[in-house]
């Protein structure tokens, strides 16, 4: 008998067995489905939140930190400020020791198209020209601004596809004007769909929200006085302007791109720069730079909520309980079929045949449990999306997780069926025939 015909025969026996024990079969399918549904719901949320937001470059993008604060509360080796001062960020950018780099911060502004209608409040990002190449942002129309426009404080802007749809109906708006806080800015580019998850480039604001709708050159934003949003930590008198180039305040993020092999040399450069600033009297603490790539940065900032990690462990614990219950039900079913197994053995079926028959039976239960579990997982994800937390809106079951659902269900059910299958193939036919 060929392998395919053998499988078809075992499947036919399994279906007959299910019909004879419908209640027991339903209980086993339900137990597997509940465990799969709960585990896949939490695993899907964890998969979305812990994924690599820029997989092609995550090992080459590094977040820079320097310890520019004063000695108040100083503890050697402790984590430095999460952001840079404007002076330090501008100096690192000017010295340009990385392949690419960008400084940035965020804010909220009122945006109005030419003509004065449809004003709206939008999230904005104030950054340097390297931002778009650094993070591989796709463009639907136009381009990012140039270094010359950066240095010239040009009144230009890049807008998102969504804002372009709202203000200009989705057409090519390059060259048109938007009014931002009573200042006209010329649009030089429109981004295409771009939503890194999480929003790793600035964890001080929304970690799982939409990207900003408006991008403005950093120094242009400062010239026209656009409002800053996000964390701002000052350790000395700023002279009334915490956003000035000389203010002792950390509020600017800085990213650099380089080959991972160059990270050590760049870290040495940051240490030397810190020592130089300490000798100049700006830094009071000993050099203590940090340089982390994207995934290290996310891990350090504990971007995945602790409750999500706990839910994953609890869900897989629940799956284990469901599998133990399934093993018990399969064993009970096996014991009830001892006489049938004895007759099959007496008619020539080998122990291998009995073992494979019961494995096919448990695998079939896994397929049924996967289908029902998938429905429960979709229901669970719908319930998760009703949660007010920002990350909850991102929960969805993609193709990878769909395949994982079926693989996990079938694998778990086959694993649960190993002990009953082994027990079944140990049945002694002579004893069963004698009892009959």
């Amino acid at each position: 008998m060929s392998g395919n015909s053998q499988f078809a025969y075992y499947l036919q026996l399994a279906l007959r067995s299910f019909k004879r024990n419908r209640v027991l079969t339903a209980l086993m399918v339900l137990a597997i489905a509940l465990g799969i549904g709960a585990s896949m719901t939490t695993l899907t949320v964890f998969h979305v939140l812990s994924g690599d937001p820029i997989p092609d470059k995550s090992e080459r993008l590094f977040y820079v930190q320097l310890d520019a604060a004063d000695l108040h509360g100083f503890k050697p080796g402790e984590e430095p400020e999460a952001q840079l001062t404007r002076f330090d960020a501008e100096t690192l950018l000017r010295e340009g020791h990385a392949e690419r780099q960008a400084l940035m911060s965020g804010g909220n502004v009122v945006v109005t198209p030419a003509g004065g209608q449809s004003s709206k409040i939008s999230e904005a990002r104030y950054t340097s020209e390297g931002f778009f190449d650094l993070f591989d942002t796709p463009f639907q129309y136009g381009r990012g601004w140039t270094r010359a426009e950066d240095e010239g404080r040009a009144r230009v802007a890049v807008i998102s596809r969504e804002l372009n749809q709202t203000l200009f109906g989705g057409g090519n708006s390059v060259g048109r004007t938007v009014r931002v806080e009573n200042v006209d800015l010329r649009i030089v580019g429109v981004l295409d769909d771009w939503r890194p998850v999480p929003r790793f480039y600035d964890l001080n604001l929304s970690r799982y929200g939409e990207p900003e709708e408006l991008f403005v050159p950093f120094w242009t934003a400062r010239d026209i006085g656009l409002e800053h949003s996000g964390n701002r930590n000052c350790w000395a008198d700023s002279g009334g302007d915490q956003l000035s180039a000389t203010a002792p305040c950390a509020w600017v993020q800085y990213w650099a791109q380089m080959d991972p092999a160059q990270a050590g040399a760049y870290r040495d450069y940051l240490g030397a720069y810190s020592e130089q600033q300490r000798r100049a009297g700006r830094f009071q603490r000993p050099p203590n730079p940090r340089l982390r790539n994207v995934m290290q940065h996310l891990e350090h900032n504990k971007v995945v909520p602790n409750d999500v990690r706990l839910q994953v462990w609890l869900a897989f614990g629940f799956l284990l309980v469901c599998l133990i219950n399934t093993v018990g039900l399969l064993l009970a079913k096996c014991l009830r079929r001892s006489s049938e197994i004895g007759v099959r053995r007496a008619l020539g079926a080998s122990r291998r045949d009995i073992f494979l028959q019961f494995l096919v039976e448990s695998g079939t239960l896994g397929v049924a449990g996967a289908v029902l579990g998938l429905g429960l997982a979709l229901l669970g994800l719908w319930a998760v999306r009703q949660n007010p937390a920002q990350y909850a809106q991102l929960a969805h079951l993609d193709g990878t997780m769909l395949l994982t659902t079926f693989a996990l269900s079938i694998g778990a059910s086959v694993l649960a069926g190993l002990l009953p299958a082994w027990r079944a193939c140990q049945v002694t036919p002579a004893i069963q025939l004698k009892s009959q």
Side-chain angles (χ1 to χ4, degrees):
M1 188 181 293
S2 66
N4 289 337
S5 58
Q6 265 191 327
F7 177 79
Y9 176 62
Y10 294 148
L11 182 60
Q12 185 179 16
L13 291 177
L15 295 177
R16 288 179 180 176
S17 173
F18 295 156
K19 289 180 181 179
R20 288 198 302 268
N21 302 275
R22 297 186 180 186
V23 174
L24 198 59
T25 300
L27 286 174
M28 289 187 287
V29 171
L30 182 61
I32 294 172
L34 287 173
I36 293 297
S39 58
M40 290 312 301
T41 298
T42 56
L43 187 61
T44 299
V45 174
F46 182 79
H47 171 72
V48 170
L49 301 189
S50 62
D52 190 338
I54 183 167
D56 294 337
K57 298 182 74 172
S58 61
E59 292 187 349
R60 295 185 289 134
L61 294 179
F62 293 85
Y63 187 71
V64 177
Q65 294 173 255
L66 297 173
D67 204 348
D70 59 21
L71 291 174
H72 179 73
F74 171 65
K75 295 179 181 178
E78 69 179 351
E79 187 70 13
E81 288 290 333
Q83 302 177 96
L84 302 186
T85 67
R86 177 179 167 182
F87 180 92
D88 294 321
E90 290 179 343
T91 302
L92 296 183
L93 186 70
R94 186 169 55 252
E95 295 184 354
H97 280 253
E99 178 185 339
R100 290 192 180 100
Q101 51 268 311
L103 57 80
M104 66 197 74
S105 191
N108 290 293
V109 296
V110 176
V111 179
T112 309
Q117 76 279 12
S118 304
S119 294
K120 63 171 297 189
I121 298 177
S122 297
E123 283 191 56
R125 179 128 305 254
Y126 317 134
T127 184
S128 55
E129 53 86 21
F131 179 92
F132 306 104
D133 287 335
L134 197 66
F135 299 123
D136 290 342
T137 57
F139 278 87
Q140 184 181 19
Y141 304 113
R143 55 169 176 81
W145 56 82
T146 65
R147 179 173 298 182
E149 288 171 323
D150 241 349
E151 295 172 350
R153 276 59 171 170
R155 303 294 173 89
V156 295
V158 169
I159 62 175
S160 70
R161 182 180 184 135
E162 291 74 17
L163 185 60
N164 186 53
Q165 182 66 41
T166 300
L167 300 183
F168 303 107
N172 188 348
S173 58
V174 172
R176 301 184 70 173
T177 301
V178 289
R179 179 167 287 270
V180 179
E181 300 289 351
N182 299 317
V183 176
D184 288 335
L185 300 179
R186 176 173 53 89
I187 298 172
V188 296
V190 178
L191 293 184
D192 209 337
D193 293 328
W194 181 64
R195 186 180 183 180
V197 179
R199 199 166 74 164
F200 68 96
Y201 56 87
D202 185 357
L203 299 178
N204 298 284
L205 296 172
S206 171
R207 295 187 171 190
Y208 292 100
E210 297 281 351
E212 293 83 359
E213 293 185 311
L214 178 74
F215 298 80
V216 180
F218 182 84
W219 293 278
T220 300
R222 299 280 44 84
D223 281 352
I224 62 181
L226 297 185
E227 196 66 32
H228 167 259
S229 297
N231 294 337
R232 189 162 62 222
N233 185 28
C234 298
W235 49 85
D237 184 14
S238 63
D241 185 2
Q242 297 182 347
L243 305 182
S244 70
T246 57
C249 302
W251 59 280
V252 181
Q253 301 94 45
Y254 194 90
W255 284 89
Q257 176 182 326
M258 68 197 77
D259 190 276
Q262 299 172 329
Y266 193 83
R267 190 178 290 105
D268 292 340
Y269 156 70
L270 294 176
Y273 172 81
S274 300
E275 180 59 29
Q276 178 190 47
Q277 296 301 313
R278 192 175 72 86
R279 288 198 301 268
R282 285 193 63 248
F283 288 10
Q284 298 181 25
R285 302 183 178 189
N288 186 27
R290 295 287 191 276
L291 191 66
R292 297 183 175 96
N293 64 29
V294 172
M295 298 308 291
Q296 291 169 343
H297 181 59
L298 297 179
E299 178 65 25
H300 172 73
N301 286 277
K302 296 180 172 55
V303 169
V304 180
N306 288 331
D307 61 331
V308 173
R309 295 180 184 274
L310 178 61
Q311 288 166 11
V312 171
W313 286 109
L314 290 176
F316 275 90
F318 179 66
L319 174 60
L320 179 61
V321 171
C322 291
L323 290 180
I324 292 173
N325 287 332
T326 303
V327 170
L329 293 173
L330 285 172
L331 279 173
K333 188 176 181 181
C334 171
L335 293 175
R336 291 176 58 183
R337 296 169 61 188
S338 295
S339 58
E340 173 194 333
I341 296 169
V343 171
R344 284 205 64 215
R345 287 294 312 281
L347 293 175
S350 65
R351 288 185 175 182
R352 177 179 176 275
D353 292 330
I354 301 299
F355 187 79
L356 291 177
Q357 175 191 339
F358 274 78
L359 279 189
V360 169
E361 190 169 313
S362 60
T364 306
L365 286 173
V367 172
V371 173
L372 182 57
L374 177 61
L376 294 176
L378 292 173
L379 182 62
L381 291 174
W382 175 84
V384 169
R385 286 194 290 270
Q386 310 313 306
N387 191 301
Q390 283 183 330
Y391 68 79
Q393 310 308 314
L394 303 172
H396 67 283
L397 197 66
D398 58 18
T400 300
M401 298 309 295
L402 182 63
L403 292 176
T404 303
T405 299
F406 278 91
L408 181 62
S409 179
I410 295 172
S413 59
V414 170
L415 184 64
L418 286 176
L419 179 60
W422 177 83
R423 177 66 182 81
C425 70
Q426 301 304 311
V427 171
T428 304
I431 295 177
Q432 296 302 320
L433 294 176
K434 183 178 179 180
S435 65
Q436 292 293 321

